[in-house]
Amino acid sequence: MTTTDLFGDGTPQAGVMPLGPRAVVLRGFALHWARALWPALKQVVAQAPWRHMQTPGGQRMSVALTNCGAFGWVSDRHGYRYSALDPDSGQPWPALPASFAGLAAQAALAGGFDGFTPDACLINRYVPGARMGLHQDRDERDLAHPIVSVSLGLPAVFLWGGARRADRAQRVPLLHGDVVVWGGEDRLRFHGMAPLSEGHHPLVGAQRINFTLRRAA
């Protein structure tokens, strides 16, 4: 894999794949941001290490996560919610890196949503076998804001469902540098991730990192 494959050539967008009326995959959009995203991620993890949270039903999530920004998404037996404090340390989450916020704003604009300013970034780490069941992003206060989801590392299969959990989900391949943006009438579509396959990525290693940027408050 070449340096261009890892970090792009400065071209912000390699192609657009529509998923719905207000949902798109921006192919390769994050590639030229990767030089800034990766070290910024390491700084976030140094302050708020990866952890496996529990679902309200008491199950250990297969995906490890951390957060940055004014609010972090958390899960435990009390439910899903946003918190200004890291429950492991009792301290505020690390600040949202400028590279994360800048990418989110540009990707949202490319997806048709102007003026997006995220205040929360959930960061998921998938290792081979890890998955995410179909769910809606509905814990945010104002659902008028879009979701921006950034993929780094191993290729994955994004499950893009419908308005009901029972609706058949489309299987959408996602590669290193792809960004998914959705909002408006697509904001509450069910979505998830199929189990991650084995592999090795020269930048990220044997894992996939996913940044999900939202406006929580």
Side-chain angles (χ1 to χ4, degrees):
M1 182 172 287
T2 67
T3 301
T4 299
D5 293 326
L6 289 175
F7 302 117
D9 59 1
T11 303
Q13 188 171 326
V16 178
M17 175 185 173
L19 291 177
R22 302 298 307 279
V24 294
V25 180
L26 305 174
R27 295 294 186 193
F29 194 93
L31 283 176
H32 74 293
W33 292 82
R35 289 186 192 275
L37 296 176
W38 190 238
L41 170 64
K42 291 182 177 180
Q43 292 179 5
V44 168
V45 173
Q47 297 176 62
W50 300 112
R51 76 287 307 269
H52 291 269
M53 291 188 175
Q54 279 191 332
T55 68
Q59 299 297 314
R60 179 179 182 268
M61 297 179 66
S62 66
V63 175
L65 63 85
T66 188
N67 291 278
C68 58
F71 300 96
W73 184 88
V74 298
S75 174
D76 56 25
R77 288 186 176 273
H78 299 290
Y80 305 123
R81 63 195 180 279
Y82 282 96
S83 172
L85 301 179
D86 179 344
D88 284 7
S89 68
Q91 299 298 311
W93 296 101
L96 184 70
S99 56
F100 288 25
L103 169 58
Q106 287 197 13
L109 181 60
F113 299 94
D114 195 7
F116 179 52
T117 54
D119 60 7
C121 180
L122 169 62
I123 310 170
N124 288 325
R125 183 184 69 181
Y126 293 79
V127 297
R131 60 181 293 274
M132 184 72 68
L134 289 173
H135 65 282
Q136 296 170 302
D137 288 356
R138 61 180 313 138
D139 299 317
E140 298 72 39
R141 183 173 298 175
D142 185 353
L143 299 180
H145 299 285
I147 304 292
V148 175
S149 178
V150 181
S151 293
L152 296 179
L154 290 179
V157 176
F158 181 54
L159 303 176
W160 179 246
R164 302 174 304 162
R165 191 186 302 273
D167 292 341
R168 184 170 181 173
Q170 180 182 353
R171 296 174 63 88
V172 182
L174 293 180
L175 303 178
H176 175 70
D178 287 348
V179 180
V180 186
V181 179
W182 69 96
E185 60 196 276
D186 289 318
R187 179 61 173 72
L188 290 178
R189 292 276 286 266
F190 279 88
H191 59 282
M193 296 300 303
L196 190 71
S197 297
E198 297 279 352
H200 180 84
H201 189 273
L203 177 65
V204 176
Q207 59 186 347
R208 172 183 181 261
I209 304 297
N210 173 236
F211 306 131
T212 304
L213 294 119
R214 308 182 179 109
R215 185 79 189 176

